[in-house]
Amino acid sequence: MEKKTGGGLFAMEIRAAERLGHFPVYLFDKLDADKTAVQARGVDVISLGQGDPDEGTPPDIIAELARTAISPANHHYPSFKGMPEYLQAIADFYRDNFGVALEPGPEILSLIGSKSGVGRLPLALVNPGEVILCPDPCYPAYIPGMILADARIQYMPLLEKNQFLPDLTQIPSQVARRAKLMLLNYPNNPTAAVATQDFLKEVVQFARKYEIIVAYDAPYNMMVFDDEKPLSFLQIPGAKEIGVEFHSMSKLFNMTGWRCAWVAGNRHVIDALSRLISNVDMGIFKPIQFAAMKALKNGTVFMQKMNRLYQERRDAVVNGLKELGWHVPPSRGTFFMWLPVPEKDKESIPFALELLQKTGVLITPGRGFGEHGEGYLRIALTVDVERLKDAVRRIKEAGYIYNPPQPA
Ligand SMILES: *Cc1c(COP(=O)(O)O)cnc(C)c1O
C-alpha cells in the first residue's frame, strides 16, 4: 500500500481492537435520536430516562471541597487506596448504619466510582471460561468487564413472581461449581426491588457451598421507603468471608459527577482488586475525599430528606398512572420505578418510542437491561413532582388509558 506522508496526508486505516466488537449492541440509539428529533420540533421533553439525581450536592459538602481545594498539599497524586481518614469515615458509616465492623486498610478500598470497581472486578478475579452469575435484567455496566475477562456469563432471571430476586435453586449445580463470581444488586436497578435478610442468608450459604465470590452492588442501600430498613450485605453473618459490597457517594449525596466510591468486605477480594487498580488508576482527588468524609459524618438528615422527596415523587406517579388504569407496583427502594408495559402485545422499545413521539415523555424500555427486562419500563424519579404530574397529564391526554375507573 502506498503511504502518503507528504503534506500531512497519511492514509492509514485505524481499526479498533476486535474485542470492542464483543460488547453488546447499544439498544438506545433510536431512542436517543428520537429524543433529539422531538426536541428539535420544540417539544419540552420530560426525561425520566437516566438515573442521575436532579437535586444538587448539599452546600456544606461543596464548601468542604472548596476549602480543602485551596491547599497545595491536596493537589498531589492521591493514593489509590484512599486516605486513612476517608476509609475511617466509611468504617464509621458502616458501624453506625449497619452495625458492621470493618478494618479500614485491608477491608475498604477507595474507587473513582463504583462503576469503575464493579465493572473491572472480573478482570481481577475471573479466568477465561470461568462462570460469572449475573442478574438479568441488570445495570448494563456489569457486562463489558465480564466480556473483557472472557468469562462465561450465566444469567439469573429476575422475575416478578420471585419479587425480582434470583431463584438460586434454578442454577444447575454443574454451573454453580464452575462459577467464580456472583453479581447482585439491591435495592435493585432497574427493578426497584429490595432484598430480604432471608434471601441474603441463602446467598451466603450458596456461595459457601459452591465457593463463589459475591460482589454486592449497593449504591441505593440507604434509599428505601415505607417500612423498609436499610440493609447491607455485610450485615449477614459470614458475608465478609465470601464477598464484598460496592457503595458510592453518587446516589447518596447527589454526587454522580464527583466520582467517589468504595468497596468494602473480604480482604482477599479487595487485595486482588487493589492489585489491578493500582496498575491502571490513581485514587480520588483529596479534596473530594475530604468532602465525602464530611457528608458521611453528617449526612443522616440529608439522606432522610432525599428519601422523603423520592417517596413523594413515587407516590405522585403511582397514583397518577393508576388512575389511567396502569399497573404500577410501588417501588420499595432506589429512585426508579419498574412497571409492566401497559399494552400486553407491545414490546418495551416500540412502546417507549411511541410514547416519546406522542407525549414528549421519555422512559426507558426494560429490554435495554436484558432479555428478562422485556415487557417492562423503567421510570427515573429524578425530576420534580410538578414535572412528574405534567408527564402523567400528557400521558393521559395522549389517550394511554386502559381501564378507566368507574365514575363514583
Ligand atoms: C448508579 C449506579 C452505580 C454507579 O455509581 P457510580 O459510583 O457513580 O459509578 C452502580 N451500580 C448501580 C446499580 C447504579 O445504579
Side-chain angles (χ1 to χ4, degrees):
M1 191 171 85
E2 192 192 342
K3 289 185 176 175
K4 293 180 229 163
T5 50
L9 286 172
F10 176 71
M12 185 175 83
E13 194 187 347
I14 309 285
R15 273 200 219 122
E18 280 160 18
R19 71 172 71 84
L20 297 189
H22 302 160
F23 293 150
V25 285
Y26 181 73
L27 289 171
F28 298 137
D29 282 336
K30 179 89 172 81
L31 199 63
D32 290 348
D34 281 21
K35 180 189 175 190
T36 310
V38 170
Q39 281 170 327
R41 289 201 325 247
V43 176
D44 170 26
V45 170
I46 302 178
S47 178
L48 310 179
Q50 208 189 5
D52 191 347
D54 56 314
E55 301 269 311
T57 307
D60 56 331
I61 303 181
I62 300 169
E64 184 67 0
L65 171 77
R67 188 182 75 76
T68 53
I70 291 167
S71 168
N74 293 334
H75 298 170
H76 299 287
Y77 285 126
S79 154
F80 73 91
K81 295 178 181 165
M83 291 160 58
E85 303 88 332
Y86 172 67
L87 302 179
Q88 186 60 53
I90 294 163
D92 294 347
F93 178 83
Y94 269 80
R95 182 199 58 210
D96 297 346
N97 288 292
F98 306 114
V100 168
L102 291 165
E103 201 184 324
E107 293 183 338
I108 308 175
L109 172 69
S110 79
L111 295 170
I112 49 173
S114 52
K115 175 174 174 177
S116 107
V118 77
R120 283 166 167 170
L121 189 67
L123 293 168
L125 292 175
V126 179
N127 295 306
E130 288 177 333
V131 170
I132 300 180
L133 301 166
C134 179
D136 172 9
C138 75
Y139 180 56
Y142 301 153
I143 309 225
M146 298 192 287
I147 290 172
L148 293 177
D150 287 323
R152 218 186 96 201
I153 307 172
Q154 173 81 27
Y155 286 106
M156 304 180 288
L158 305 186
L159 307 177
E160 191 160 2
K161 66 171 184 177
N162 301 325
Q163 289 78 49
F164 300 107
L165 300 170
D167 182 351
L168 303 181
T169 65
Q170 292 297 306
I171 302 169
S173 54
Q174 69 274 20
V175 173
R177 270 195 295 274
R178 290 185 54 199
K180 183 75 183 275
L181 180 64
M182 176 191 284
L183 300 174
L184 287 173
N185 157 230
Y186 291 98
N188 184 259
N189 175 9
T191 68
V194 296
T196 58
Q197 297 229 17
D198 285 344
F199 169 71
L200 295 184
K201 284 180 188 159
E202 202 191 311
V203 168
V204 170
Q205 254 182 9
F206 184 85
R208 288 170 82 118
K209 177 171 176 193
Y210 292 105
E211 303 190 1
I212 299 169
I213 299 161
V214 176
Y216 196 81
D217 188 22
Y220 304 99
N221 71 1
M222 300 301 289
M223 203 182 282
V224 289
F225 309 123
D226 307 322
D227 51 359
E228 215 52 64
K229 299 252 174 332
L231 178 63
S232 162
F233 179 61
L234 300 177
Q235 268 170 262
I236 307 303
K240 215 161 71 172
E241 276 73 67
I242 50 98
V244 290
E245 177 163 294
F246 289 84
H247 210 320
S248 168
M249 300 298 289
S250 289
K251 316 290 166 59
L252 280 183
F253 295 101
N254 305 337
M255 289 170 69
T256 46
W258 295 52
R259 311 317 297 142
C260 186
W262 66 86
V263 56
N266 185 274
R267 60 185 68 212
H268 304 292
V269 175
I270 287 181
D271 183 55
L273 190 59
S274 297
R275 282 165 58 197
L276 175 71
I277 284 187
S278 63
N279 279 287
V280 295
D281 257 344
M282 285 293 164
I284 306 167
F285 183 44
K286 282 184 189 171
I288 293 178
Q289 297 187 58
F290 281 114
M293 281 176 227
K294 181 142 192 148
L296 290 169
K297 277 199 186 89
N298 309 315
T300 310
V301 171
F302 178 79
M303 288 186 282
Q304 287 167 349
K305 188 179 104 182
M306 289 308 298
N307 282 359
R308 280 197 301 274
L309 183 80
Y310 290 128
Q311 185 164 338
E312 184 197 349
R313 292 174 177 183
R314 178 200 70 173
D315 293 344
V317 176
V318 168
N319 295 332
L321 290 180
K322 263 192 183 159
E323 271 181 40
L324 310 184
W326 292 45
H327 171 58
V328 196
S331 322
R332 318 277 295 279
T334 77
F335 47 49
F336 296 114
M337 295 179 49
W338 184 248
L339 56 155
V341 177
E343 290 170 31
K344 276 197 178 49
D345 49 352
K346 209 165 240 149
E347 293 194 322
S348 61
I349 293 177
F351 182 84
L353 288 170
E354 187 200 279
L355 190 80
L356 173 64
Q357 291 290 351
K358 289 195 178 160
T359 66
V361 177
L362 185 140
I363 58 186
T364 309
R367 180 65 183 84
F369 303 98
E371 266 174 48
H372 288 88
E374 187 54 274
Y376 290 88
L377 302 166
R378 192 191 74 176
I379 291 177
L381 299 167
T382 46
V383 304
D384 67 39
V385 77
E386 283 316 311
R387 231 165 137 65
L388 287 170
K389 286 181 180 165
D390 190 24
V392 173
R393 204 172 304 128
R394 291 190 202 180
I395 289 169
K396 181 179 180 183
E397 279 163 13
Y400 288 94
I401 301 169
Y402 298 96
N403 187 13
Q406 301 305 309

